[in-house]
Amino acid sequence: LGSAHQTTPVRGAVRRASFALGATLLAALAAPAGALAFRITPLSGHSPNANRINTLYIVTLVFALIIFVAVEGALAYAVLRFRARKGAVAAQIHGNTRLEIGWTVGAALVLVVLAIVTFVELGGIINPPNSGIEGAGLSAGGGPVYASLERRLPPNGKRLEINVVGRQYIWQFVYPGGTGREQFAPPYSYEKLVVPTETTVVLNVTAADVVHSWWVPELGGKVQAVPGYHNFTWFKIPRASGPQIFHGQCASLCGRGHARMIATVEALPPAQFEAWLAKQKQELAEADAEAAKARETLAAHSGPEAVEHP
Ligand SMILES: [Cu+2]
């Protein structure tokens, strides 16, 4: 096996593989660098909570930039101003109480100010506001009610509540108005969540198998989807003239298909949303009826034991 004529193709393959690896690494490095050049703050502008997260990010960034420039500037000044010269004897300094107290109190003040600004914004990130419209699709309840400390509602209690269920490897969205008695009865949709604009949409996030993570950056922060638990988040998308589509991705490594577990949110004017929901309901009912018919045919041909009931 170790004969000489076999080494050359092996070396060729190794070389080709390293070229491919090098090119992939370069592409991987270039892509985020390109993205960074255009945007260093979080995506925002499509929900009040995402906007507040962006504000907090910018406040912290400004503080960090000022401190960075001051510290690095002082360092550069000291390096140049006090650089070694021939015959010079370095001063021996043993502490400076005033300076040490100064930078300790200064750092503490920065922390206090950032904490205050964070707590001022936090309420508006966690608590959903009232909807901008009094429309159809809004319910005082909507969907099953679970006990949870994290459940936050708008002041008037009215919201469109949608159950978000993480499954390996797809998101399921269960809308209110289901006719079935099961927890996740139709109307539902997979992968694409359709919602009305100007409406406070509260998401009740859970998982059916393993831990997933719901995150559509333009619509707010990340929320864990944990089997047996219910976490809540919300968004309120303003009206826009054009189509509004937001993209997200499961943010918790949940298995082999994790990379394919994407989420899309489409915001429609309330009347269009109502029409979509009605159509979705009808299509699901038709598909159910078809499946029931197919089961009957199968049972008639091969006996009832051949039919796997859901
Ligand atoms: Cu996942």
Side-chain angles (χ1 to χ4, degrees):
L1 278 174
S3 60
H5 67 268
Q6 276 191 340
T7 47
T8 319
V10 169
R11 269 193 200 155
V14 167
R15 200 177 304 135
R16 276 193 299 280
S18 5
F19 270 129
L21 184 66
T24 313
L25 277 177
L26 269 182
L29 284 174
L36 269 181
F38 296 105
R39 171 175 286 284
I40 56 166
T41 55
L43 296 165
S44 62
H46 299 287
S47 186
N49 47 356
N51 298 350
R52 284 172 188 268
I53 290 172
N54 188 39
T55 306
L56 274 182
Y57 186 94
I58 290 171
V59 169
T60 311
L61 183 67
V62 167
F63 263 91
L65 278 178
I66 292 171
I67 292 165
F68 177 80
V69 168
V71 170
E72 296 304 311
L75 180 65
Y77 171 78
V79 164
L80 291 174
R81 174 76 178 73
F82 305 107
R83 65 187 181 277
R85 286 186 189 86
K86 256 187 194 163
V89 180
Q92 302 298 311
I93 297 164
H94 297 280
N96 183 323
T97 312
R98 258 205 261 164
L99 263 182
E100 283 163 22
I101 289 176
W103 65 56
T104 306
V105 170
L109 270 180
V110 169
L111 280 182
V112 168
V113 170
L114 284 182
I116 290 172
V117 175
T118 303
F119 278 103
V120 165
E121 293 287 336
L122 209 53
I125 292 172
I126 296 172
N127 302 310
N130 283 339
S131 292
I133 46 148
E134 282 292 320
L138 286 172
S139 56
V145 177
Y146 304 95
S148 167
L149 287 174
E150 278 85 52
R151 187 186 183 86
R152 310 271 175 162
L153 300 178
N156 67 8
K158 288 189 177 178
R159 75 278 181 189
L160 175 65
E161 192 161 322
I162 295 170
N163 297 316
V164 176
V165 191
R167 299 176 185 280
Q168 284 172 318
Y169 300 97
I170 198 163
W171 290 105
Q172 185 187 8
F173 308 103
V174 186
Y175 302 82
T179 42
R181 263 190 293 163
E182 314 110 77
Q183 189 178 339
F184 300 121
Y188 48 73
S189 66
Y190 285 98
E191 205 164 287
K192 187 162 95 171
L193 168 63
V194 181
V195 293
T197 55
E198 299 155 90
T199 305
T200 302
V201 178
V202 172
L203 300 182
N204 177 350
V205 183
T206 188
D209 35 43
V210 300
V211 175
H212 300 272
S213 183
W214 169 257
W215 195 25
V216 178
E218 278 165 284
L219 303 178
K222 207 185 280 179
V223 173
Q224 289 241 296
V226 184
Y229 289 85
H230 294 269
N231 285 325
F232 292 87
T233 186
W234 64 274
F235 54 74
K236 184 178 154 187
I237 303 171
R239 200 199 322 217
S241 48
Q244 298 199 83
I245 296 206
F246 309 103
H247 298 282
Q249 159 80 49
C250 175
S252 186
L253 183 58
C254 57
R256 290 178 74 179
H258 164 67
R260 294 193 309 272
M261 193 166 163
I262 54 169
T264 310
V265 177
E266 184 179 12
L268 298 174
Q272 280 182 39
F273 166 75
E274 286 291 305
W276 173 86
L277 193 61
K279 190 168 166 255
Q280 186 78 355
K281 246 184 196 175
Q282 189 200 330
E283 281 178 5
L284 283 167
E286 282 168 14
D288 270 352
E290 241 172 73
K293 216 194 268 171
R295 274 198 294 273
E296 254 171 50
T297 315
L298 187 62
H301 280 250
S302 324
E305 63 278 6
V307 183
E308 193 198 336
H309 286 284

